[in-house]
Amino acid sequence: MKTITIGTQTAHVGETAELCRALADEVETLLKERAAEGRLAVLGLATGSTPLPFYDELIRRHREEGLSFSNAVTFNLDEYEGLGREHERSYWHEMWCNLFDHLDIKAENVSVPPSVSEDPDRDAAAYEEAIREAGGIDWQLLGIGGEGHIGFNEKGSAIDTRTRRVTLARKTIVDAAPGFGGEDKVPTHAITMGVATILEARRVVLMARGASKREIVKRAMTGEVSSEVPASFLQNHQNAGWFLDEEAAGSGSDA
Ligand code: F6R
């Protein structure tokens, strides 16, 4: 893995396995430091295809090296509206299948925004409060959407947005359609942590893989910081890291 400068930002570029090891090292260090102090480590987690090999690496370290997640508290970024937890495309379901079921994390320490809610405003406020009560997010993982969304903060999401109900962008629905068996089956709304919620994390890492992410990663890292590309707000975070494979980085040609 190499570290290069893209615009004003530092990017870690390498093969997926290297990126996953580097990210897992950060999580392992945090968990162990906190465990030694008798404290909890608060992780913000993402769904989608990007983090799957990273989650596999965490599971491997738990199984083969005994890395414990018993002092981990997690908050997921977002959830589709209306599916219900048991739906196989719900982010709750994905997180349990792809990660939590394979770790020693305590179920009561896992939070995913509610998919079904009678009062989304109230539940969104409660989610913010739960993050505050946990002491804030220590380490936040992000992917990036085709138009630069982080969480489900679509184009136009302001820097001061908080956890809330949002309308999904057309591009997000089109990208999700194969997994749902058609665009008409993709939920039109979601609940997501806000941009401000994300930026308050003490460490934020954005992972991107594949050539389809190259243009948007470049815009997010080198373009104007604006709600046009919500991921661009990371440029001004004190402790943000970009973890890119060669395809997403454009092989560092712009460094
Ligand atoms: C998922 C999330 C989204 C995804 C993004 C990239 O919890 O918040 O912002 O990270 O849409 O998705 P993939 O990784 O499937 O390309």
Side-chain angles (χ1 to χ4, degrees), residues 45-51 76-79 91 141-146 149-153 172 175 192 207 209 212-213:
L45 299 178
T47 45
S49 58
T50 306
N76 262 82
L77 281 165
D78 43 19
E79 178 61 283
Y91 284 166
L141 175 65
L142 301 173
I144 184 169
H149 71 206
I150 46 175
F152 276 140
N153 292 284
T172 301
D175 286 349
T192 183
M207 186 179 188
R209 303 194 285 120
S212 66
K213 299 289 172 75

PDB file of all heavy atoms in Angstrom, residues 45-51 76-79 91 141-146 149-153 172 175 192 207 209 212-213, ligand 1:
ATOM      1  N   LEU A  45     -20.588   2.284  11.242  1.00  0.00           N
ATOM      2  CA  LEU A  45     -20.392   1.298  10.178  1.00  0.00           C
ATOM      3  C   LEU A  45     -21.289   1.542   8.971  1.00  0.00           C
ATOM      4  O   LEU A  45     -22.351   2.156   9.079  1.00  0.00           O
ATOM      5  CB  LEU A  45     -20.629  -0.108  10.730  1.00  0.00           C
ATOM      6  CG  LEU A  45     -19.680  -0.515  11.870  1.00  0.00           C
ATOM      7  CD1 LEU A  45     -20.047  -1.909  12.376  1.00  0.00           C
ATOM      8  CD2 LEU A  45     -18.216  -0.464  11.440  1.00  0.00           C
ATOM      9  N   ALA A  46     -20.828   1.039   7.829  1.00  0.00           N
ATOM     10  CA  ALA A  46     -21.530   1.212   6.556  1.00  0.00           C
ATOM     11  C   ALA A  46     -21.932  -0.147   5.993  1.00  0.00           C
ATOM     12  O   ALA A  46     -21.332  -1.172   6.323  1.00  0.00           O
ATOM     13  CB  ALA A  46     -20.612   1.918   5.562  1.00  0.00           C
ATOM     14  N   THR A  47     -22.911  -0.128   5.135  1.00  0.00           N
ATOM     15  CA  THR A  47     -23.292  -1.346   4.407  1.00  0.00           C
ATOM     16  C   THR A  47     -22.858  -1.183   2.944  1.00  0.00           C
ATOM     17  O   THR A  47     -22.011  -0.365   2.641  1.00  0.00           O
ATOM     18  CB  THR A  47     -24.816  -1.579   4.507  1.00  0.00           C
ATOM     19  OG1 THR A  47     -25.465  -0.343   4.275  1.00  0.00           O
ATOM     20  CG2 THR A  47     -25.190  -2.118   5.862  1.00  0.00           C
ATOM     21  N   GLY A  48     -23.459  -1.947   2.055  1.00  0.00           N
ATOM     22  CA  GLY A  48     -23.072  -1.910   0.639  1.00  0.00           C
ATOM     23  C   GLY A  48     -21.975  -2.913   0.369  1.00  0.00           C
ATOM     24  O   GLY A  48     -21.527  -3.643   1.267  1.00  0.00           O
ATOM     25  N   SER A  49     -21.525  -2.962  -0.864  1.00  0.00           N
ATOM     26  CA  SER A  49     -20.543  -3.986  -1.241  1.00  0.00           C
ATOM     27  C   SER A  49     -19.114  -3.601  -0.836  1.00  0.00           C
ATOM     28  O   SER A  49     -18.282  -4.470  -0.586  1.00  0.00           O
ATOM     29  CB  SER A  49     -20.601  -4.236  -2.754  1.00  0.00           C
ATOM     30  OG  SER A  49     -20.367  -3.027  -3.453  1.00  0.00           O
ATOM     31  N   THR A  50     -18.830  -2.314  -0.765  1.00  0.00           N
ATOM     32  CA  THR A  50     -17.453  -1.884  -0.520  1.00  0.00           C
ATOM     33  C   THR A  50     -16.837  -2.483   0.751  1.00  0.00           C
ATOM     34  O   THR A  50     -15.702  -2.980   0.703  1.00  0.00           O
ATOM     35  CB  THR A  50     -17.375  -0.340  -0.471  1.00  0.00           C
ATOM     36  OG1 THR A  50     -17.951   0.171  -1.668  1.00  0.00           O
ATOM     37  CG2 THR A  50     -15.948   0.142  -0.328  1.00  0.00           C
ATOM     38  N   PRO A  51     -17.504  -2.437   1.913  1.00  0.00           N
ATOM     39  CA  PRO A  51     -16.828  -2.891   3.133  1.00  0.00           C
ATOM     40  C   PRO A  51     -16.794  -4.403   3.341  1.00  0.00           C
ATOM     41  O   PRO A  51     -16.173  -4.851   4.316  1.00  0.00           O
ATOM     42  CB  PRO A  51     -17.637  -2.235   4.274  1.00  0.00           C
ATOM     43  CG  PRO A  51     -18.864  -1.687   3.685  1.00  0.00           C
ATOM     44  CD  PRO A  51     -18.816  -1.848   2.207  1.00  0.00           C
ATOM     45  N   ASN A  76     -24.888   2.060  12.792  1.00  0.00           N
ATOM     46  CA  ASN A  76     -24.839   2.067  11.327  1.00  0.00           C
ATOM     47  C   ASN A  76     -25.321   3.394  10.765  1.00  0.00           C
ATOM     48  O   ASN A  76     -26.083   4.115  11.387  1.00  0.00           O
ATOM     49  CB  ASN A  76     -25.661   0.904  10.760  1.00  0.00           C
ATOM     50  CG  ASN A  76     -24.779  -0.255  10.413  1.00  0.00           C
ATOM     51  OD1 ASN A  76     -24.418  -1.039  11.293  1.00  0.00           O
ATOM     52  ND2 ASN A  76     -24.379  -0.349   9.158  1.00  0.00           N
ATOM     53  N   LEU A  77     -24.819   3.674   9.579  1.00  0.00           N
ATOM     54  CA  LEU A  77     -25.105   4.963   8.949  1.00  0.00           C
ATOM     55  C   LEU A  77     -26.567   5.160   8.585  1.00  0.00           C
ATOM     56  O   LEU A  77     -27.102   6.256   8.723  1.00  0.00           O
ATOM     57  CB  LEU A  77     -24.322   5.074   7.633  1.00  0.00           C
ATOM     58  CG  LEU A  77     -22.854   5.419   7.700  1.00  0.00           C
ATOM     59  CD1 LEU A  77     -22.195   5.131   6.361  1.00  0.00           C
ATOM     60  CD2 LEU A  77     -22.697   6.887   8.066  1.00  0.00           C
ATOM     61  N   ASP A  78     -27.178   4.090   8.080  1.00  0.00           N
ATOM     62  CA  ASP A  78     -28.470   4.314   7.430  1.00  0.00           C
ATOM     63  C   ASP A  78     -29.271   3.026   7.324  1.00  0.00           C
ATOM     64  O   ASP A  78     -28.754   1.938   7.606  1.00  0.00           O
ATOM     65  CB  ASP A  78     -28.276   4.949   6.039  1.00  0.00           C
ATOM     66  CG  ASP A  78     -27.126   4.313   5.251  1.00  0.00           C
ATOM     67  OD1 ASP A  78     -26.723   3.180   5.600  1.00  0.00           O
ATOM     68  OD2 ASP A  78     -26.633   4.928   4.305  1.00  0.00           O
ATOM     69  N   GLU A  79     -30.515   3.194   6.910  1.00  0.00           N
ATOM     70  CA  GLU A  79     -31.410   2.044   6.726  1.00  0.00           C
ATOM     71  C   GLU A  79     -32.520   2.440   5.759  1.00  0.00           C
ATOM     72  O   GLU A  79     -32.983   3.582   5.758  1.00  0.00           O
ATOM     73  CB  GLU A  79     -32.013   1.617   8.071  1.00  0.00           C
ATOM     74  CG  GLU A  79     -33.007   0.470   8.027  1.00  0.00           C
ATOM     75  CD  GLU A  79     -32.435  -0.841   7.485  1.00  0.00           C
ATOM     76  OE1 GLU A  79     -32.289  -0.939   6.244  1.00  0.00           O
ATOM     77  OE2 GLU A  79     -32.158  -1.761   8.276  1.00  0.00           O
ATOM     78  N   TYR A  91     -30.626  -3.211   5.887  1.00  0.00           N
ATOM     79  CA  TYR A  91     -29.252  -3.063   6.351  1.00  0.00           C
ATOM     80  C   TYR A  91     -29.054  -3.746   7.699  1.00  0.00           C
ATOM     81  O   TYR A  91     -27.952  -4.203   8.007  1.00  0.00           O
ATOM     82  CB  TYR A  91     -28.872  -1.582   6.403  1.00  0.00           C
ATOM     83  CG  TYR A  91     -28.596  -0.997   5.025  1.00  0.00           C
ATOM     84  CD1 TYR A  91     -28.526   0.378   4.829  1.00  0.00           C
ATOM     85  CD2 TYR A  91     -28.388  -1.813   3.918  1.00  0.00           C
ATOM     86  CE1 TYR A  91     -28.256   0.915   3.569  1.00  0.00           C
ATOM     87  CE2 TYR A  91     -28.122  -1.296   2.663  1.00  0.00           C
ATOM     88  CZ  TYR A  91     -28.052   0.065   2.499  1.00  0.00           C
ATOM     89  OH  TYR A  91     -27.783   0.582   1.256  1.00  0.00           O
ATOM     90  N   LEU A 141     -16.679   4.487   9.388  1.00  0.00           N
ATOM     91  CA  LEU A 141     -16.409   3.954   8.053  1.00  0.00           C
ATOM     92  C   LEU A 141     -17.462   4.459   7.070  1.00  0.00           C
ATOM     93  O   LEU A 141     -18.662   4.443   7.370  1.00  0.00           O
ATOM     94  CB  LEU A 141     -16.460   2.422   8.102  1.00  0.00           C
ATOM     95  CG  LEU A 141     -16.309   1.684   6.772  1.00  0.00           C
ATOM     96  CD1 LEU A 141     -14.924   1.897   6.181  1.00  0.00           C
ATOM     97  CD2 LEU A 141     -16.589   0.195   6.955  1.00  0.00           C
ATOM     98  N   LEU A 142     -17.005   4.881   5.894  1.00  0.00           N
ATOM     99  CA  LEU A 142     -17.917   5.331   4.837  1.00  0.00           C
ATOM    100  C   LEU A 142     -17.587   4.636   3.516  1.00  0.00           C
ATOM    101  O   LEU A 142     -16.416   4.352   3.246  1.00  0.00           O
ATOM    102  CB  LEU A 142     -17.774   6.835   4.586  1.00  0.00           C
ATOM    103  CG  LEU A 142     -18.026   7.805   5.726  1.00  0.00           C
ATOM    104  CD1 LEU A 142     -17.657   9.220   5.285  1.00  0.00           C
ATOM    105  CD2 LEU A 142     -19.476   7.744   6.178  1.00  0.00           C
ATOM    106  N   GLY A 143     -18.613   4.444   2.688  1.00  0.00           N
ATOM    107  CA  GLY A 143     -18.425   4.185   1.268  1.00  0.00           C
ATOM    108  C   GLY A 143     -18.793   5.480   0.560  1.00  0.00           C
ATOM    109  O   GLY A 143     -19.045   6.503   1.202  1.00  0.00           O
ATOM    110  N   ILE A 144     -18.841   5.442  -0.744  1.00  0.00           N
ATOM    111  CA  ILE A 144     -19.256   6.646  -1.485  1.00  0.00           C
ATOM    112  C   ILE A 144     -20.211   6.242  -2.592  1.00  0.00           C
ATOM    113  O   ILE A 144     -19.968   5.258  -3.305  1.00  0.00           O
ATOM    114  CB  ILE A 144     -18.028   7.421  -2.025  1.00  0.00           C
ATOM    115  CG1 ILE A 144     -18.459   8.727  -2.721  1.00  0.00           C
ATOM    116  CG2 ILE A 144     -17.169   6.562  -2.962  1.00  0.00           C
ATOM    117  CD1 ILE A 144     -17.300   9.670  -3.048  1.00  0.00           C
ATOM    118  N   GLY A 145     -21.313   6.972  -2.729  1.00  0.00           N
ATOM    119  CA  GLY A 145     -22.289   6.678  -3.775  1.00  0.00           C
ATOM    120  C   GLY A 145     -21.849   7.267  -5.109  1.00  0.00           C
ATOM    121  O   GLY A 145     -20.941   8.103  -5.173  1.00  0.00           O
ATOM    122  N   GLY A 146     -22.501   6.856  -6.163  1.00  0.00           N
ATOM    123  CA  GLY A 146     -22.145   7.271  -7.515  1.00  0.00           C
ATOM    124  C   GLY A 146     -22.180   8.779  -7.716  1.00  0.00           C
ATOM    125  O   GLY A 146     -21.475   9.314  -8.574  1.00  0.00           O
ATOM    126  N   HIS A 149     -22.755  10.553  -2.464  1.00  0.00           N
ATOM    127  CA  HIS A 149     -23.408  10.514  -1.149  1.00  0.00           C
ATOM    128  C   HIS A 149     -22.542   9.774  -0.131  1.00  0.00           C
ATOM    129  O   HIS A 149     -21.746   8.898  -0.474  1.00  0.00           O
ATOM    130  CB  HIS A 149     -24.839   9.953  -1.212  1.00  0.00           C
ATOM    131  CG  HIS A 149     -24.979   8.491  -1.476  1.00  0.00           C
ATOM    132  ND1 HIS A 149     -26.085   7.935  -2.061  1.00  0.00           N
ATOM    133  CD2 HIS A 149     -24.153   7.435  -1.217  1.00  0.00           C
ATOM    134  CE1 HIS A 149     -25.954   6.631  -2.148  1.00  0.00           C
ATOM    135  NE2 HIS A 149     -24.781   6.294  -1.642  1.00  0.00           N
ATOM    136  N   ILE A 150     -22.686  10.182   1.123  1.00  0.00           N
ATOM    137  CA  ILE A 150     -22.107   9.451   2.262  1.00  0.00           C
ATOM    138  C   ILE A 150     -23.282   9.147   3.181  1.00  0.00           C
ATOM    139  O   ILE A 150     -24.106  10.015   3.434  1.00  0.00           O
ATOM    140  CB  ILE A 150     -20.986  10.254   2.985  1.00  0.00           C
ATOM    141  CG1 ILE A 150     -21.393  11.703   3.243  1.00  0.00           C
ATOM    142  CG2 ILE A 150     -19.687  10.156   2.205  1.00  0.00           C
ATOM    143  CD1 ILE A 150     -20.376  12.500   4.064  1.00  0.00           C
ATOM    144  N   GLY A 151     -23.339   7.912   3.705  1.00  0.00           N
ATOM    145  CA  GLY A 151     -24.620   7.473   4.246  1.00  0.00           C
ATOM    146  C   GLY A 151     -25.614   7.638   3.106  1.00  0.00           C
ATOM    147  O   GLY A 151     -25.282   7.426   1.943  1.00  0.00           O
ATOM    148  N   PHE A 152     -26.829   8.060   3.432  1.00  0.00           N
ATOM    149  CA  PHE A 152     -27.769   8.410   2.360  1.00  0.00           C
ATOM    150  C   PHE A 152     -27.943   9.918   2.294  1.00  0.00           C
ATOM    151  O   PHE A 152     -29.017  10.427   2.014  1.00  0.00           O
ATOM    152  CB  PHE A 152     -29.104   7.681   2.537  1.00  0.00           C
ATOM    153  CG  PHE A 152     -29.111   6.279   1.975  1.00  0.00           C
ATOM    154  CD1 PHE A 152     -29.743   5.252   2.660  1.00  0.00           C
ATOM    155  CD2 PHE A 152     -28.515   5.985   0.754  1.00  0.00           C
ATOM    156  CE1 PHE A 152     -29.772   3.959   2.144  1.00  0.00           C
ATOM    157  CE2 PHE A 152     -28.534   4.696   0.231  1.00  0.00           C
ATOM    158  CZ  PHE A 152     -29.165   3.684   0.925  1.00  0.00           C
ATOM    159  N   ASN A 153     -26.874  10.635   2.559  1.00  0.00           N
ATOM    160  CA  ASN A 153     -26.872  12.085   2.373  1.00  0.00           C
ATOM    161  C   ASN A 153     -26.609  12.347   0.902  1.00  0.00           C
ATOM    162  O   ASN A 153     -25.463  12.376   0.448  1.00  0.00           O
ATOM    163  CB  ASN A 153     -25.799  12.741   3.247  1.00  0.00           C
ATOM    164  CG  ASN A 153     -26.135  12.621   4.714  1.00  0.00           C
ATOM    165  OD1 ASN A 153     -27.000  13.337   5.213  1.00  0.00           O
ATOM    166  ND2 ASN A 153     -25.498  11.681   5.393  1.00  0.00           N
ATOM    167  N   THR A 172     -29.194   6.525  -6.872  1.00  0.00           N
ATOM    168  CA  THR A 172     -29.099   5.552  -5.774  1.00  0.00           C
ATOM    169  C   THR A 172     -30.066   4.396  -6.005  1.00  0.00           C
ATOM    170  O   THR A 172     -29.726   3.223  -5.790  1.00  0.00           O
ATOM    171  CB  THR A 172     -29.407   6.260  -4.436  1.00  0.00           C
ATOM    172  OG1 THR A 172     -28.459   7.324  -4.266  1.00  0.00           O
ATOM    173  CG2 THR A 172     -29.322   5.301  -3.263  1.00  0.00           C
ATOM    174  N   ASP A 175     -28.792   2.242  -8.885  1.00  0.00           N
ATOM    175  CA  ASP A 175     -27.654   1.417  -8.451  1.00  0.00           C
ATOM    176  C   ASP A 175     -28.106   0.246  -7.572  1.00  0.00           C
ATOM    177  O   ASP A 175     -27.483  -0.818  -7.583  1.00  0.00           O
ATOM    178  CB  ASP A 175     -26.649   2.282  -7.667  1.00  0.00           C
ATOM    179  CG  ASP A 175     -25.851   3.210  -8.586  1.00  0.00           C
ATOM    180  OD1 ASP A 175     -25.930   3.042  -9.819  1.00  0.00           O
ATOM    181  OD2 ASP A 175     -25.158   4.109  -8.068  1.00  0.00           O
ATOM    182  N   THR A 192     -31.096   8.284   7.585  1.00  0.00           N
ATOM    183  CA  THR A 192     -29.628   8.324   7.552  1.00  0.00           C
ATOM    184  C   THR A 192     -29.061   9.264   8.607  1.00  0.00           C
ATOM    185  O   THR A 192     -29.674  10.277   8.930  1.00  0.00           O
ATOM    186  CB  THR A 192     -29.126   8.777   6.156  1.00  0.00           C
ATOM    187  OG1 THR A 192     -27.696   8.739   6.130  1.00  0.00           O
ATOM    188  CG2 THR A 192     -29.566  10.199   5.791  1.00  0.00           C
ATOM    189  N   MET A 207     -13.813   4.406   2.141  1.00  0.00           N
ATOM    190  CA  MET A 207     -13.244   3.336   1.328  1.00  0.00           C
ATOM    191  C   MET A 207     -13.951   3.334  -0.031  1.00  0.00           C
ATOM    192  O   MET A 207     -15.181   3.447  -0.088  1.00  0.00           O
ATOM    193  CB  MET A 207     -13.460   2.008   2.046  1.00  0.00           C
ATOM    194  CG  MET A 207     -12.789   0.822   1.400  1.00  0.00           C
ATOM    195  SD  MET A 207     -13.122  -0.661   2.389  1.00  0.00           S
ATOM    196  CE  MET A 207     -12.055  -1.826   1.571  1.00  0.00           C
ATOM    197  N   ARG A 209     -13.743   1.336  -3.994  1.00  0.00           N
ATOM    198  CA  ARG A 209     -13.130   0.301  -4.820  1.00  0.00           C
ATOM    199  C   ARG A 209     -13.765   0.308  -6.202  1.00  0.00           C
ATOM    200  O   ARG A 209     -14.975   0.486  -6.323  1.00  0.00           O
ATOM    201  CB  ARG A 209     -13.338  -1.070  -4.177  1.00  0.00           C
ATOM    202  CG  ARG A 209     -12.790  -1.163  -2.765  1.00  0.00           C
ATOM    203  CD  ARG A 209     -12.703  -2.601  -2.291  1.00  0.00           C
ATOM    204  NE  ARG A 209     -13.976  -3.191  -1.936  1.00  0.00           N
ATOM    205  CZ  ARG A 209     -14.491  -4.268  -2.507  1.00  0.00           C
ATOM    206  NH1 ARG A 209     -13.837  -4.895  -3.464  1.00  0.00           N
ATOM    207  NH2 ARG A 209     -15.657  -4.747  -2.118  1.00  0.00           N
ATOM    208  N   SER A 212     -15.648   2.390 -11.328  1.00  0.00           N
ATOM    209  CA  SER A 212     -16.901   3.160 -11.366  1.00  0.00           C
ATOM    210  C   SER A 212     -16.894   4.288 -10.327  1.00  0.00           C
ATOM    211  O   SER A 212     -17.682   5.226 -10.418  1.00  0.00           O
ATOM    212  CB  SER A 212     -18.103   2.241 -11.122  1.00  0.00           C
ATOM    213  OG  SER A 212     -18.064   1.743  -9.805  1.00  0.00           O
ATOM    214  N   LYS A 213     -15.994   4.208  -9.364  1.00  0.00           N
ATOM    215  CA  LYS A 213     -15.938   5.242  -8.318  1.00  0.00           C
ATOM    216  C   LYS A 213     -14.887   6.316  -8.610  1.00  0.00           C
ATOM    217  O   LYS A 213     -14.771   7.301  -7.893  1.00  0.00           O
ATOM    218  CB  LYS A 213     -15.642   4.603  -6.949  1.00  0.00           C
ATOM    219  CG  LYS A 213     -16.684   3.595  -6.471  1.00  0.00           C
ATOM    220  CD  LYS A 213     -17.980   4.289  -6.077  1.00  0.00           C
ATOM    221  CE  LYS A 213     -19.124   3.330  -5.767  1.00  0.00           C
ATOM    222  NZ  LYS A 213     -19.040   2.647  -4.522  1.00  0.00           N
TER     223      LYS A 213
HETATM  224  C1  F6R B   1     -24.311   2.319   2.989  1.00  0.00           C
HETATM  225  C2  F6R B   1     -24.106   3.718   2.652  1.00  0.00           C
HETATM  226  C3  F6R B   1     -23.836   4.153   1.250  1.00  0.00           C
HETATM  227  C4  F6R B   1     -22.818   3.279   0.531  1.00  0.00           C
HETATM  228  C5  F6R B   1     -22.604   3.760  -0.894  1.00  0.00           C
HETATM  229  C6  F6R B   1     -21.653   2.866  -1.662  1.00  0.00           C
HETATM  230  O1  F6R B   1     -24.538   2.184   4.368  1.00  0.00           O
HETATM  231  O2  F6R B   1     -24.156   4.511   3.522  1.00  0.00           O
HETATM  232  O3  F6R B   1     -23.398   5.496   1.275  1.00  0.00           O
HETATM  233  O4  F6R B   1     -21.616   3.312   1.235  1.00  0.00           O
HETATM  234  O5  F6R B   1     -23.812   3.819  -1.575  1.00  0.00           O
HETATM  235  O6  F6R B   1     -22.234   1.613  -1.836  1.00  0.00           O
HETATM  236  P1  F6R B   1     -21.366   0.378  -2.392  1.00  0.00           P
HETATM  237  O7  F6R B   1     -20.355   0.095  -1.353  1.00  0.00           O
HETATM  238  O8  F6R B   1     -22.368  -0.735  -2.515  1.00  0.00           O
HETATM  239  O9  F6R B   1     -20.793   0.829  -3.679  1.00  0.00           O
END
